[in-house]
Amino acid sequence: MTIDMESVVGSFAENKDLARDLRRQSIEPALAAGETVILNFAGVTGATQSFVHAMMSELIRTYGEDLFDKVLFQKCSAAVQEVVETVAEYMLESL
Amino acid sequence: MKIHLSNSDFLRTFERFVRTFDPSEPHVLDVTTHDKWVSVHPAVLAMVAALGRQVPKENVRLDDVTAASGHYLDRMGLFAALGKESPYSIVKHESAGRFIPLTQIRTSQEQTRFISEMIPILHLLPDQADAIKYVVGELVRNVLEHAEASSGAFVALQYHSKNNMVRLGIADTGIGIMSSISRSWRIRGEAEAIRLALTPGVTGTTRREGGTETNAGAGLFFIKSMAVVSRDQFVIYSGSGLYKLLMRDKRIKGFPTLHANPFLDRHRWTEGLPYFKGTVVAVDLSLGQTPEFVALLAAIRAAYSSAIRERKKAGVKMPRFID
């Protein structure tokens, strides 16, 4: 499954409610069904750490580093990539 | 309550402004202004607007503004935010490129709308825009999630083209940082509450490392770090304590160390100030001084992970060596 992030969050990802809903309503069910999820960030210039945390932290707690075999990040700007890596790093450190 | 707006209330002298605040008689707000010139940081306006929502409109006084620059208060939306009729009948110019007047934000939808609309008004470059969106997004969300403020957040921004700086202020009249952090942490005073609030990975919602599913406790650390790197000031005023990140010495070259403990940064801590029930956050961001946003994020990431490792190390039982 591929999720077009820009259509969900616009050009800047900061709304944690949307992040939580996206995780609960789309990503978690897809992962539970054994699907690979591609988050396509084309058109999204930036994201807050809070947004990415709300979208990813529980998934990292559940799947650990194996999550990154199941969820792929596509067409990320350098800023988005840095924030995703930040959240991944501190969550994996926290486990 | 009484508060005075002077001819120079900016972050360098923020403590002086705060000392003009008299929180007694909480059902009245009396705002006075310098008789010749008014010039204040957006955080000052945000604080006054937030206080104004705590009292009935008819109990707010903002009269006798004689300062030649008094129309500035009108254009920044202070009269409207306080529910007062403006004495100025000036023709409003297009605000593009200069400022975002006081805006009240109570929901995440209002926050998203505010962020998407502010950048075209400020006319910033894309990289600069992301940094400002980031700061506003995190600060407003902090208020909506942690402050329990019925009137939400009051935000204002001003871009100063002369020094290529954005001044940003946000205020709420919620429970304040000490009460918020105390929900999960046993703390001994306001200084410790501020220290924890600015420490990466510490949130008032849990003591668990990594935070909850929606809170990591990193927002204020990111913003303070941005101010450290861009050699700017950053202020948090809550309760009767005020933390101010002081400007980094320009003679010291190179990328700064980003401390997890804000009291290791060049700072000033002031306590015993007039009690403000809520929180004011103010930040100046010199856009010309800010390295690429991505480089900044990379440095923050390293500091964040290091802080977690240090905490985990501190909590792990180590071998004890005895005679």
Side-chain angles (χ1 to χ4, degrees):
Chain A
M1 178 176 72
T2 298
I3 298 172
D4 175 10
M5 294 297 291
E6 187 184 16
S7 69
V8 179
V9 301
S11 64
F12 190 81
E14 47 73 34
N15 189 324
K16 289 166 73 173
D17 295 341
L18 293 178
R20 183 200 56 214
D21 293 347
L22 186 67
R23 170 169 51 80
R24 289 181 181 171
Q25 293 165 16
S26 301
I27 302 174
E28 286 176 351
L31 292 176
E35 284 186 65
T36 296
V37 177
I38 298 172
L39 302 173
N40 183 348
F41 279 86
V44 180
T45 62
T48 61
Q49 167 270 331
S50 294
F51 176 90
V52 176
H53 182 93
M55 185 173 71
M56 301 299 301
S57 65
E58 274 306 289
L59 299 174
I60 297 172
R61 277 196 202 284
T62 304
Y63 294 95
E65 62 185 346
D66 292 343
L67 178 74
F68 303 117
D69 293 328
K70 307 169 197 296
V71 175
L72 306 175
F73 300 85
Q74 187 176 36
K75 293 186 170 29
C76 290
S77 71
V80 170
Q81 186 173 330
E82 195 60 56
V83 174
V84 169
E85 287 179 336
T86 300
V87 173
E89 196 167 298
Y90 74 67
M91 285 307 300
L92 290 172
E93 292 268 10
S94 304
L95 295 179
Chain B
M1 297 181 285
K2 292 177 185 169
I3 202 160
H4 182 74
L5 311 187
S6 85
N7 59 354
S8 184
D9 285 332
F10 293 95
L11 299 195
R12 196 169 60 82
T13 55
F14 207 75
E15 295 89 338
R16 186 186 67 187
F17 156 70
V18 164
R19 287 195 171 95
T20 73
F21 174 47
D22 175 0
S24 62
E25 295 185 68
H27 302 296
V28 176
L29 178 63
D30 192 358
V31 185
T32 55
T33 56
H34 190 276
D35 56 350
K36 292 191 172 56
W37 194 260
V38 177
S39 187
V40 299
H41 193 280
V44 169
L45 301 175
M47 180 177 162
V48 174
L51 287 171
R53 290 304 167 100
Q54 299 302 296
V55 304
K57 203 163 51 175
E58 57 276 15
N59 290 356
V60 177
R61 287 194 293 269
L62 174 56
D63 303 325
D64 304 326
V65 180
T66 57
S69 59
H71 58 85
Y72 165 79
L73 302 178
D74 178 57
R75 296 189 61 190
M76 287 300 283
L78 186 62
F79 290 96
L82 295 175
K84 308 300 287 184
E85 194 174 330
S86 171
Y88 299 95
S89 54
I90 55 172
V91 176
K92 292 197 177 181
H93 298 287
E94 170 64 35
S95 64
R98 289 181 295 238
F99 62 90
I100 307 288
L102 280 166
T103 304
Q104 184 180 19
I105 301 175
R106 281 167 293 196
T107 65
S108 61
Q109 292 87 348
E110 289 177 356
Q111 172 186 329
T112 296
R113 196 178 322 124
F114 179 80
I115 289 173
S116 63
E117 289 174 359
M118 72 178 181
I119 294 303
I121 295 173
L122 291 172
H123 283 189
L124 298 175
L125 298 172
D127 200 45
Q128 297 170 337
D130 276 355
I132 301 302
K133 284 179 191 174
Y134 197 104
V135 172
V136 172
E138 294 288 32
L139 289 180
V140 173
R141 190 70 197 198
N142 267 355
V143 174
L144 300 183
E145 286 191 349
H146 304 299
E148 298 179 23
S150 57
S151 55
F154 284 87
V155 190
L157 291 92
Q158 191 159 16
Y159 174 68
H160 295 260
S161 56
K162 189 178 169 185
N163 48 9
N164 195 22
M165 173 186 279
V166 171
R167 292 188 167 129
L168 181 150
I170 177 165
D172 69 76
T173 46
I175 60 174
I177 286 180
M178 186 146 161
S179 295
S180 178
I181 292 289
S182 296
R183 285 186 293 211
S184 296
W185 299 82
R186 187 178 296 170
I187 51 176
R188 289 182 293 269
E190 288 177 328
E192 190 174 8
I194 293 275
R195 179 180 68 75
L196 288 172
L198 286 166
T199 300
V202 174
T203 167
T205 54
T206 183
R207 291 180 68 98
R208 185 173 64 161
E209 200 66 75
T212 66
E213 66 168 319
T214 53
N215 274 288
L220 287 173
F221 171 70
F222 269 61
I223 293 160
K224 186 207 70 172
S225 298
M226 291 167 75
V228 168
V229 172
S230 60
R231 298 179 190 275
D232 284 314
Q233 295 184 94
F234 166 85
V235 165
I236 299 188
Y237 170 41
S238 185
S240 53
L242 188 148
Y243 173 90
K244 183 196 285 182
L245 176 79
L246 299 173
M247 277 192 277
R248 202 156 49 88
D249 192 333
K250 285 185 178 168
R251 291 169 298 185
I252 300 172
K253 306 293 180 194
F255 206 86
T257 303
L258 300 179
H259 298 290
N261 180 348
F263 288 87
L264 296 178
D265 292 309
R266 189 164 176 265
H267 75 285
R268 182 184 302 145
W269 167 250
T270 311
E271 53 193 2
L273 293 168
Y275 188 83
F276 176 66
K277 189 182 174 301
T279 305
V280 180
V281 178
V283 62
D284 291 342
L285 285 176
S286 298
L287 301 176
Q289 296 290 324
T290 309
E292 279 194 23
F293 190 49
V294 176
L296 177 60
L297 291 174
I300 292 172
R301 172 181 152 199
Y304 196 140
S305 292
S306 167
I308 291 175
R309 281 194 295 273
E310 288 293 318
R311 270 202 301 276
K312 285 183 81 171
K313 201 171 154 187
V316 168
K317 286 181 184 170
M318 296 296 286
R320 290 182 298 167
F321 302 98
I322 57 175
D323 291 332

